[in-house]
């Protein structure tokens, strides 16, 4: 997939294209349905299948006080869009200046002059341009003037509710990661660099890979989870096309059994690995994938009680991940 991070980077001979526009936060099944329809239209019309998205949620500029945390970072978004089979993605900077662009200017300068759109697919409530003044009806009228067709796609429902990024965030906030995975068609995840922690896990016999607080993705509710640790490589090297995925018991929270841990942390104990394994992961970029929740975060009266519970957690993680035995070290 070709990626353009600025309208000026798009080649003059780009397209003609079929374009879908959106934030695509999380790339849930509603987004995937839109992309699949776009690909079919592009194939039938001989057009380039392209997504137009932004480097941040527009609300972060126009109404930052109500802007939610993103489900995925820009790198993850581009990776998922590429995996969905698009030919190209244009990710524009949503700056204060861009937010003031009038609807007709957006259509002419971006859709017509830059992307040479022949077909545009949007959601039924799509708004664009300064103050959200642009409507689907305006886009259809301007498309008739400039030679592209505009079509809307119905919302996708799951269990009688419209699928949305907001719903995914609600599920993750409640720790319902398995339900979130149904909407995402993949385990929800966070990505970050493995850093040195307090080494408490090693002392208890359950060493963990601690993720830097500056991680990407939406952290689910505090608790213990079954999941996977995907190792991508050294920081700055980018995503590995074939990361090593290891089964893991994952802790999210500040571990109330100990004092002096004020901030929520994400740490993963790789099942079946020796105490030395954590050292190999320092400085690596990893993706922690949440498959199911084991329990909420609890405070224990003694280290022995905590250690015993962690052992039970690990056994339950093995069961949830359908591991018949501890992985080889």
């Amino acid at each position: 997939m070709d990626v353009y991070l600025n309208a000026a980077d798009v080649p003059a001979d780009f397209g003609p294209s079929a374009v879908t526009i959106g934030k695509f936060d999380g790339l849930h099944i509603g987004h995937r349905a839109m992309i699949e329809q776009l690909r079919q239209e592009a194939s039938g019309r001989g057009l380039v299948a392209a997504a137009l998205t932004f480097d941040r949620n527009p609300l972060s500029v126009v109404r930052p006080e109500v802007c939610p945390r993103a489900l995925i970072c820009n790198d993850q978004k581009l990776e998922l869009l590429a995996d969905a089979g698009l030919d190209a993605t244009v990710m524009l900077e949503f700056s204060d200046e861009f937010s003031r662009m009038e609807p007709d200017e957006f259509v002419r300068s971006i859709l017509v002059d830059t992307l040479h759109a022949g077909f545009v697919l949007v959601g039924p409530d799509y708004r664009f341009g300064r103050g959200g003044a642009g409507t689907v009806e305006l886009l259809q009228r301007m498309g008739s003037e400039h030679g592209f067709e505009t079509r809307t796609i119905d919302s996708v429902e799951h269990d009688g509710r419209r699928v949305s990024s907001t719903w995914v965030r609600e599920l993750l906030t409640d720790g319902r990661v398995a339900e979130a995975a149904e909407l995402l068609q993949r385990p929800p995840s966070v990505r970050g660099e493995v850093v040195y922690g307090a080494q408490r896990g090693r002392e208890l016999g359950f060493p963990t890979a601690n993720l830097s607080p500056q991680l990407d993705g939406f952290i689910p509710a505090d608790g213990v989870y079954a999941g996977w640790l995907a190792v991508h490589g050294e920081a700055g090297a980018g995503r590995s096309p074939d990361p090593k995925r290891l089964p893991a018991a994952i802790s999210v929270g500040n571990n109330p059994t100990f004092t002096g841990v004020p901030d929520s942390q994400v740490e993963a104990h790789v099942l079946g690995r020796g105490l030395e394994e954590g050292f190999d992961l320092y400085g690596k970029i990893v993706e922690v994938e949440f498959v199911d929740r084991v329990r909420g975060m609890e405070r224990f009266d003694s280290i022995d009680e905590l250690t015993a519970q962690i052992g039970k957690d690990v056994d339950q993680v093995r069961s949830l991940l359908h591991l018949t035995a501890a992985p080889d070290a």
Side-chain angles (χ1 to χ4, degrees):
M1 182 183 76
D2 295 325
V3 176
Y4 306 102
L5 303 181
N6 191 300
D9 295 336
V10 179
D13 61 351
F14 181 84
S17 65
V19 184
T20 184
I21 311 169
K23 297 188 293 290
F24 302 111
D25 188 20
L27 210 73
H28 54 62
I29 56 177
H31 297 140
R32 293 176 183 274
M34 177 176 282
I35 291 171
E36 181 55 31
Q37 183 170 330
L38 182 85
R39 292 179 65 232
Q40 292 176 10
E41 292 288 345
S43 177
R45 298 165 185 254
L47 302 174
V48 173
L52 175 62
T53 188
F54 307 101
D55 69 336
R56 69 202 75 185
N57 190 323
L59 284 175
S60 67
V61 175
V62 298
R63 293 194 63 194
E65 71 279 3
V66 299
C67 183
R69 181 180 175 91
L71 292 172
I72 54 177
C73 66
N74 287 338
D75 285 344
Q76 290 170 303
K77 183 191 296 189
L78 291 172
E79 291 160 8
L80 290 168
L81 289 170
D83 291 342
L86 287 168
D87 298 315
T89 290
V90 179
M91 180 180 284
L92 300 180
E93 177 187 1
F94 197 95
S95 62
D96 185 60
E97 179 182 359
F98 186 88
S99 73
R100 295 194 297 270
M101 183 182 292
E102 297 295 340
D104 58 342
E105 182 185 357
F106 171 79
V107 170
R108 286 195 302 269
S109 65
I110 303 299
L111 295 182
V112 177
D113 294 342
T114 300
L115 299 180
H116 306 114
F119 176 83
V120 176
L121 182 66
V122 294
D125 301 322
Y126 176 65
R127 305 298 290 260
F128 63 100
R130 184 186 183 99
T135 63
V136 171
E137 291 74 19
L138 175 60
L139 192 58
Q140 289 171 333
R141 290 200 303 271
M142 294 196 70
S144 298
E145 297 172 9
H146 293 282
F148 64 83
E149 178 186 351
T150 299
R151 193 178 298 174
T152 60
I153 183 172
D154 293 334
S155 300
V156 173
E157 292 193 353
H158 181 77
D159 291 340
R161 178 176 174 179
R162 183 178 72 87
V163 177
S164 67
S165 300
T166 297
W167 187 8
V168 176
R169 277 188 284 270
E170 290 175 3
L171 293 172
L172 294 178
T173 299
D174 290 340
R176 296 154 66 184
V177 294
E179 293 173 65
E182 293 180 14
L183 303 184
L184 296 171
Q185 290 189 334
R186 59 179 177 82
S189 65
V190 295
R191 182 183 298 183
E193 181 179 352
V194 176
V195 298
Y196 285 93
Q199 307 293 313
R200 291 192 181 97
R202 284 177 51 80
E203 295 169 1
L204 298 176
F206 299 93
T208 60
N210 296 266
L211 268 66
S212 166
Q214 288 75 46
L215 52 75
D216 294 316
F218 194 100
I219 303 173
D222 288 359
V224 176
Y225 297 85
W228 299 88
L229 183 77
V231 184
H232 288 288
E234 300 292 338
R239 183 181 75 150
S240 168
D242 186 25
K244 185 176 185 180
R245 295 176 74 249
L246 306 168
I250 305 157
S251 171
V252 176
N254 62 359
N255 202 332
T257 301
F258 299 97
T259 60
V261 189
D263 299 321
S264 185
Q265 298 177 330
V266 177
E267 48 188 316
H269 167 65
V270 176
L271 273 58
R273 298 286 158 169
L275 291 175
E276 74 283 352
E277 181 70 15
F279 291 114
D280 295 336
L281 295 177
Y282 290 130
K284 298 284 197 309
I285 296 297
V286 300
E287 192 145 3
V288 174
E289 303 173 359
F290 301 91
V291 172
D292 210 343
R293 197 180 196 204
V294 173
R295 62 174 174 86
M297 187 59 66
E298 302 175 37
R299 184 184 184 281
F300 296 90
D301 294 329
S302 71
I303 300 301
D304 288 342
E305 287 183 21
L306 172 61
T307 304
Q309 182 59 56
I310 294 176
K312 295 177 183 177
D313 294 340
V314 168
D315 289 341
Q316 190 168 348
V317 168
R318 288 197 180 99
S319 176
L320 289 169
L321 297 180
H322 307 292
L323 302 175
T324 57
D328 294 334

